[in-house]
Amino acid sequence: MVRWLRRAGLRILAPLQKNPDNAGFRLSSPETSTTTIDGDVGWGSRPPAMLRCSRCDSDVVQRHPHDDIDCPRCVAEHSHEEFTDLELQYLRCPVCGDEMEHGQRHPESIDVPEWATCHSCRYHWEFRHDF
């Protein structure tokens, strides 16, 4: 009977024990208010963006939101403040590298993405604003 109770107890506790193979697990930032596993808030934490060059239509990566935007195929150069002048193709998940779904909640007042979600790893990013 004692062995049976011990096995039953171990089966109940097994899912609650720390998984040594999952070293990268982080809880989502409380400000994101989502059920995602990982997340960040604020423009400075925005995921890398894939933009369309206004001159040659090539894809241009802006890894950090404050980096200048330089096309690798032509001579087009833009400051980070010109982000909204270029066409945003997608945001790339900083955790798994997949393309993220993104959107705006207030397109009439804010012309940058306000959120992005990766459906592969459940990472979520939110633009911080005071409304």
Side-chain angles (χ1 to χ4, degrees):
M1 180 68 139
V2 173
R3 272 192 221 146
W4 182 84
L5 285 174
R6 180 173 155 72
R7 281 189 214 143
L10 290 174
R11 285 186 191 154
I12 291 170
L13 293 176
L16 303 175
Q17 293 178 338
K18 183 178 177 182
N19 182 355
D21 297 330
N22 193 3
F25 181 76
R26 294 183 354 201
L27 291 176
S28 180
S29 172
E31 290 115 346
T32 61
S33 301
T34 66
T35 57
T36 58
I37 292 174
D38 194 3
D40 288 306
V41 177
W43 188 252
S45 300
R46 191 208 72 207
M50 182 63 72
L51 304 165
R52 172 89 50 205
C53 177
S54 60
R55 187 170 187 164
C56 70
D57 288 334
S58 295
D59 289 338
V60 180
V61 177
Q62 184 190 30
R63 298 195 193 298
H64 189 272
H66 300 293
D67 289 347
D68 287 337
I69 305 162
D70 297 326
C71 181
R73 298 203 177 196
C74 72
V75 295
E77 294 181 4
H78 303 278
S79 83
H80 69 276
E81 295 170 347
E82 296 175 273
F83 177 84
T84 57
D85 297 340
L86 301 173
E87 180 185 348
L88 174 62
Q89 301 295 316
Y90 58 88
L91 297 173
R92 182 170 301 283
C93 179
V95 176
C96 71
D98 283 357
E99 188 174 319
M100 300 176 74
E101 178 184 0
H102 68 276
Q104 295 175 278
R105 292 189 183 93
H106 308 95
E108 63 283 344
S109 58
I110 296 178
D111 55 354
V112 295
E114 295 181 79
W115 62 270
T117 298
C118 178
H119 295 293
S120 298
C121 70
R122 297 177 46 139
Y123 172 86
H124 184 80
W125 168 80
E126 285 280 336
F127 180 81
R128 184 187 309 255
H129 53 66
D130 299 322
F131 273 93

